[in-house]
Amino acid sequence: FLDEIGEMSAPGEAKLLRVLEEREISPVGSSSRRKVDIRLVAATNSELEDMVNCRSFRADLYYRLNVVRIELPPLRDRPEDILPILDHFIGLQNRRRELNVGRPNPQLLARMCRYDWPGNVRELRNLVEAMFVDPPSGRSVGLSDLPPAFRRLFTEHPRAGKGERERLAEVLRETNWNKMAAAREMNWSRMTLYRKLAKYDLGQGEPD
């Protein structure tokens, strides 16, 4: 598994392509080559197609990797996953620390479902770890139980209390309806942005 494949250096891309094409590697310190039988999984937050077009990522490597493609939407696009992911991480921490910390109360959970989560699941995991700094054992976690930095996330975030359509409309106005800029601001791919535009009936101009 190679994470953030879009950050690989040009020499690294060339070496990886050779491995995929020849199914051979040269172990460090060895003068001989060794056959390998592997299945490679690569992940990225980058738009590799755009990187290929501007020649910052090898086209031949991209097409070699792009055999089976799975697109995982960002956490903000699947708020229904927040609670089961929370339960998983809270359970891990409870077992590790031999505690009995409950899940967030409904008020905090509602704020979390409206939050943008720019750091995706990693940010959610960090939040759970912060909950266990001074945990309220045996009861639900409320906003006041979070460290100050995390409390601010759910009270001062510029779009924390807004629905997704309202957030998107605001970003489109701020970027003068520049779709590429809006996608970057929302931390979405272009495909996700166009899907959301259709979903919320946001066309070329100012929304109603």
Side-chain angles (χ1 to χ4, degrees):
F1 174 67
L2 297 179
D3 198 7
E4 295 301 343
I5 190 74
E7 303 297 323
M8 180 172 283
S9 66
E13 291 178 19
K15 292 178 182 178
L16 178 59
L17 179 62
R18 183 175 180 179
V19 170
L20 295 176
E21 293 290 349
E22 301 180 4
R23 299 285 176 170
E24 290 183 344
I25 62 171
S26 298
V28 176
S30 174
S31 58
S32 62
R33 297 177 63 79
R34 181 182 302 171
K35 288 286 185 181
V36 292
D37 182 13
I38 61 170
R39 176 175 294 173
L40 179 67
V41 179
T44 181
N45 284 321
S46 304
E47 292 284 354
L48 290 186
E49 296 93 337
D50 293 341
M51 296 178 67
V52 168
N53 290 336
C54 66
R55 300 186 178 181
S56 59
F57 192 86
R58 291 183 65 122
D60 46 5
L61 177 58
Y62 169 73
Y63 293 117
R64 193 67 181 82
L65 291 170
N66 193 27
V67 178
V68 177
R69 179 169 178 159
I70 300 174
E71 291 200 20
L72 182 63
L75 193 56
R76 69 174 60 84
D77 287 354
R78 44 192 176 100
E80 68 278 2
D81 289 347
I82 290 177
L83 186 55
I85 294 173
L86 273 171
D87 286 341
H88 170 71
F89 287 136
I90 290 173
L92 286 178
Q93 292 292 333
N94 275 329
R95 291 191 293 273
R96 183 177 302 164
R97 301 168 186 256
E98 297 183 351
L99 295 172
N100 187 30
V101 176
R103 62 170 50 161
N105 63 28
Q107 293 78 19
L108 177 55
L109 184 61
R111 289 176 179 265
M112 295 172 70
C113 289
R114 293 194 300 264
Y115 179 59
D116 278 350
W117 297 105
N120 286 304
V121 175
R122 289 187 182 94
E123 186 178 9
L124 184 57
R125 181 180 61 192
N126 290 343
L127 169 65
V128 172
E129 292 176 356
M131 287 166 47
F132 280 79
V133 172
D134 186 17
S137 183
R139 66 171 176 83
S140 297
V141 177
L143 183 64
S144 61
D145 297 312
L146 301 181
F150 285 91
R151 288 202 300 270
R152 287 194 293 272
L153 283 180
F154 303 121
T155 56
E156 299 177 5
H157 190 270
R159 300 186 236 284
K162 300 178 179 178
E164 187 175 65
R165 186 185 191 280
E166 188 177 0
R167 295 199 311 271
L168 176 55
E170 181 179 331
V171 168
L172 287 166
R173 286 192 294 268
E174 290 174 354
T175 59
N176 197 27
W177 289 81
N178 183 313
K179 293 183 176 62
M180 289 297 294
R184 287 194 297 269
E185 177 67 21
M186 297 292 289
N187 198 25
W188 288 346
S189 67
R190 289 180 301 169
M191 185 180 300
T192 297
L193 176 67
Y194 287 116
R195 187 171 66 247
K196 296 295 184 179
L197 290 173
K199 175 182 177 180
Y200 297 123
D201 193 25
L202 293 173
Q204 298 294 325
E206 189 80 8
D208 298 331

